[in-house]
Structures are given as C-alpha cells and as structure tokens.
Amino acid sequence: MPKASKHEFELLFLPHLGAAYSLARWLLRHPQDAEDAVQEAILRAFRRYETYDGGNARAWLLAIVRNICLTAIERRRSENKVIILGDIVHEREQQRVEAQPDPAPLQDAQMLAAEDQRRVHAAIATLPTQFREVLVLREFHELNYRDIAEIVGTPVGTVMSRLARAREKLKAALSGSDLSGSVDMTETGQKQ
Amino acid sequence: MTRIDCSEVRDLLNAYVDDELSVSEQRAVSSHITQCGTCFAALSELKSLRARLRAAGTFAPLTGFEARVVAQLATSAQTSQVRRPRILLAVSHLAAAAIGAFVLYGAMTYVGTADRLVRDGIEVHTQAIMANRLIQVASSDTHAVRPWLTERLPFAPPVKNVAPAEFPLLGGRVDRLQGRPAAVAVYGRRKHHVTLFIQPVDATSIPPELEATRNGFALAAWRAGDFAYLAVSDLGPDELKSLIDRLK
C-alpha cells in the first residue's frame, strides 16, 4: 500500500486505539492479550483498508477488535484455558497500575474513589460477555445504539434490551457488593 | 401528547437516558416522570448508575501503546514483500536435497497456510455480513456480475449461477483474501449466505483441496482450470457440498 494511504489510515484509526484497547480489555480480561488483540485488529484493518467504505471508523475498527477477541475467547475455551478467579485478582492489581501510574500515597477521597472503581469494575466483570460488551460500548465510549448494533451484529432493538438487562444485572451485582463489602468472584461469563 | 403508563415508561427508560427516543416518546416519558414518583426514582437510579460507571472509568492502554502499534504497522507494511523471498532463499540453501526440500516446503506451507486461510476466509465472510457489504453488485445475471468484477480485477472470474432455485446467485463484490485480490460471488440459501472466493491459480493462497469446519462454518476449496475457489458458509457441510458439486 502506498505511503499516503498508510498515513491516511493512521490519521483515521489511531485516535480510536484507546476505545479498541478498552473493549479488548473488557472482553479478554487481560492487559497483554488485549494489547495483542488490538495490534492484530489494526493490521487486519490496514490490510482491508480498501474495503472500508468511509463509514464510522471507530465502529469499523471495534467490530474487528470484537471479532478477534471472541475468536480468542473461543480458543481459550477449547484449550480449556478458562480464566477463573486468578484473573480477577490479577485484574485488580492491574487496574491500579493502569489507572494510577503515579504511585503517590492515596488521600482518603482518592482511596474511596479507588475502592468504588474496584467494586464497579469487578461487578462489570461478572456480566456475561453479551451484556458486558454493550454496556462498555455505551457507558465508556458513548456509542449510539446504531453503532453498537453494527459492532455486535444485532438489531438495534436487541442492543436496547441487552443494555437494559446489563444495567439491571449490574445494579444487582453492585448492591450485593455494597452490602457485603466483597464481590462474588465466581466466573459467570458463560451463562446467558 | 400521547399518554403512557408506568410499564411502557419502564421499557423506554434506558433509551431515554441514552437519548435514543423519538421526540414524541421523549416528551411522553418526561411528562410521565414529573407526575410519577416510582418512575422518577427508577430514572434517578439509572442516572446514578451511569455517574458511578463513568467515575470509575475504563482501562487505558499501558504507556507506549500507540508507538508499538505504529511500529508494528510500519514493519508489516514491508514484510508482505520481504518475507517470502527469505523463506525461498533459506530453502534453496538446502541444495543437497533441493527437490525434497521443495516438496517439503510446499507441503509445510500448505499445512500452515491452510489454517490461516480458514481463519481469514471466515473472518472476511463474517465481517462482510456484519458490515453489510456482502454484495457490491447485486444481480442474479452472470452477464452482469462477471463484467463488473472483471473491470475491477486483474482477471476475469468465472461466475456461475448453477442452481438458481436452490442456491440463487445474489451478486458479487471485490475483496481480498490473505492480502490478495479476490472475486467474490455470493449465493443465498434460505437466510444463509455462501461466500465464494475466486482467485487465479498463479496468485492465490487457496490450497488445491480443502474441506474444513470451524466455529459452525463450513469451508471447501478446489481448483478448476485457471482458478482456485474457496467457499465459506454457515450452512452445514453437506448442504454446502451440494452447491459445490454443481459448481465443479
């Protein structure tokens, strides 16, 4: 591919690396796997750049990211590499590293915020994939229903009902963790 | 203004906070919640959940991520031309068993590439469906599809409509399979689609023969004349085979 179009590709798609990483990170629950998935997605997008029809670049890239992640999850499952418990524990440590690159001591308010972040993230992690992905795309990346529908390959109505259920489940998970101060660490990702 | 009851409002509340309602629905919900404490509380709950989520934020990539992506992109933009000659060079160094090495090289290349080809074939097929760009030229007339494809490709793909009743030809598009240009003919079967990639034998990574199923997709490859074919579908392998038998 000529240099000019590579430059154009970078201008279009690099701004969405953050969203791509975030989605991959929530789907794969592992920082390195997420980074690898995005790398692969960018290469794939680049190779297929000429088929890109000029629509929403972020949605196009995220659809590729999602596809790669689901394939990776499928592969993990078939190799019996189901990541239980340990991953969620690891995830907590990792969150601090990623969210707090500055290791200065936390003030009370910051500590509370960090504690709530931990709870919210743990609650999202308990959602089944199909609910987790729509919630993440809507709440963290503020995509509209139509773009989410395009990314996950379902009708808009399905996005709407999944979002509603995702929020109900999340509320339930959070009220449990708010009361007990601990979270359910069981892997529930495969249940519908 | 239409009046709506609590259960209707509850159904619309998520779309309301997401700003996805029509103006009239939006008005109806707004007016309802000013009068209904229960629905108002449900709305507040949704809003505070959102505030809590956004305060928590999502994961950010580790430092240097963008630089790593750019670096990888730069490398891969060159490797497509560089990689192959290097392998060939390495093989040619096994001069003592030149013929044997080449046979082995060929066999190994196919084993390795078949797996990638299966993945890529499924991926291109599903991506095209998801992105709603399965078909660029919609026609069951091979005399319309073929010239359209030929104009856009360095070869003239033989597109056939062999079983119009059972597997109607829906149209075609130009795509890439493993980085190489491919003509794609799309056939329908109930609500399923069959993607048929066509590449000239001298510019293809499609093996001479292949039958595979993966993740609920069936794939088959074959060659005829100057062309290599790869069919991908979510149909069962037997159903796909009945189309392929006719195409062959």
Side-chain angles (χ1 to χ4, degrees), chain A residues 17-164:
Chain A
L17 282 184
Y21 176 82
S22 160
L23 177 65
R25 179 67 178 76
W26 277 114
L27 289 174
L28 297 175
R29 307 162 184 219
H30 190 284
Q32 189 57 51
D33 288 357
E35 185 165 328
D36 292 348
V38 176
Q39 287 273 24
E40 196 184 333
I42 285 286
L43 285 186
R44 237 179 250 191
F46 182 57
R47 281 199 301 264
R48 228 170 283 151
Y49 182 39
E50 54 202 80
T51 68
Y52 166 66
D53 60 2
N56 185 332
R58 186 165 56 156
W60 194 68
L61 178 63
L62 290 179
I64 299 176
V65 169
R66 174 182 182 269
N67 207 295
I68 289 170
C69 291
L70 295 192
T71 311
I73 291 169
E74 202 49 53
R75 195 164 51 231
R76 272 186 195 165
R77 200 176 294 164
S78 69
E79 289 167 5
N80 271 331
K81 266 201 225 153
V82 179
I83 300 191
I84 312 172
L85 213 116
D87 177 59
I88 297 175
V89 175
H90 169 77
E91 192 166 55
R92 289 186 186 161
E93 296 159 0
Q94 200 62 43
Q95 271 161 29
R96 297 186 188 241
V97 178
E98 290 171 61
Q100 313 269 354
D102 182 10
L106 298 174
Q107 301 303 308
D108 282 358
Q110 285 176 308
M111 205 119 94
L112 284 175
E115 176 63 14
D116 198 55
Q117 181 191 55
R118 186 190 68 70
R119 270 192 202 153
V120 170
H121 281 190
I124 299 171
T126 66
L127 296 177
T129 309
Q130 57 173 350
F131 297 115
R132 201 181 331 131
E133 60 182 7
V134 292
L135 187 84
V136 165
L137 291 171
R138 175 67 208 144
E139 298 295 11
F140 295 138
H141 304 295
E142 300 181 39
L143 287 152
N144 61 35
Y145 288 4
R146 213 192 44 174
D147 288 342
I148 298 175
E150 190 188 319
I151 294 167
V152 304
T154 62
V156 169
T158 310
V159 171
M160 184 153 82
S161 59
R162 280 192 193 163
L163 256 178

Side-chain angles (χ1 to χ4, degrees), chain B residues 146-163:
Chain B
R146 212 182 148 180
W148 189 93
L149 291 169
T150 307
E151 255 173 46
R152 289 161 180 82
L153 287 164
F155 56 93
V159 176
K160 298 180 212 160
N161 194 3
V162 283

Side-chain angles (χ1 to χ4, degrees), chain B residues 35-116:
Chain B
Q35 292 151 28
C36 171
T38 331
C39 287
F40 181 77
L43 175 66
S44 309
E45 219 181 340
L46 274 178
K47 283 185 173 166
S48 70
L49 181 68
R50 160 162 300 168
R52 202 171 163 188
L53 279 166
R54 294 201 173 157
T58 186
F59 298 100
L62 297 167
T63 329
F65 181 46
E66 183 169 329
R68 287 193 289 280
V69 170
V70 171
Q72 196 204 225
L73 202 53
T75 331
S76 85
Q78 295 158 0
T79 39
S80 42
Q81 292 113 39
V82 175
R83 203 175 273 161
R84 196 161 276 276
R86 265 191 201 155
I87 293 170
L88 284 174
L89 197 68
V91 170
S92 76
H93 283 167
L94 303 171
I99 295 168
F102 265 99
V103 171
L104 188 64
Y105 164 72
M108 280 165 55
T109 311
Y110 277 125
V111 173
T113 51
D115 193 59
R116 280 197 295 275

